[in-house]
Structure formats: C-alpha cells, structure tokens
Amino acid sequence: MKTNTGSFPIGFRRRRSPWEQDLGHVLAWAAANDLEVVDVGGDGDVAGPQVIAAGLRLGSVDLPRWKGMIS
C-alpha cells in the first residue's frame, strides 16, 4: 500500500506491546494488510533479516544502546 501523494510506502513501528512480541505473527499481519514497511527497535540485528525475508522493507532500526550515545 502506498500513499496517494508521492506513492510512499505505508508501514508501522513495531513496539513492545504484547501482540507485537511474536514477530512472525506481526509480519504475517502486515503483509496480509498490504503494509510495506516495518520500523524495528534495538533488536534490528535479529528482526531486520526476518522483516526482509517476509518481503517487507525496513523503515528504521534503533541503536541497540542509544543512551550511551548521548551521555
């Protein structure tokens, strides 16, 4: 699914809510609902390859230890 203006892919950010913990289920849901992009947290090294294998794109990946970057 893309936006009407600019044809940008539509997706969502995976957070820590209980239903989003089963990544395989979340990715199947995203694909079934024509979403194209998933933003993941600090587990990008694990979640990223799974997102790509599901035929979706990575929108963004958080740094694993971002607090250390700002101190």
Side-chain angles (χ1 to χ4, degrees):
M1 178 183 326
K2 297 193 183 316
T3 62
N4 287 331
T5 55
S7 293
F8 298 105
I10 297 175
F12 70 100
R13 175 163 179 79
R14 179 179 173 231
R15 299 183 306 163
R16 296 184 183 194
S17 63
W19 76 272
E20 294 173 295
Q21 294 308 303
D22 181 351
L23 184 56
H25 178 75
V26 169
L27 297 175
W29 173 84
N33 287 281
D34 297 325
L35 297 173
E36 297 183 30
V37 181
V38 179
D39 297 335
V40 297
D43 64 343
D45 58 333
V46 175
Q50 293 178 46
V51 171
I52 294 167
L56 301 167
R57 295 169 54 186
L58 282 170
S60 66
V61 178
D62 292 348
L63 294 171
R65 296 186 324 196
W66 63 272
K67 289 183 181 181
M69 297 287 290
I70 61 174
S71 60

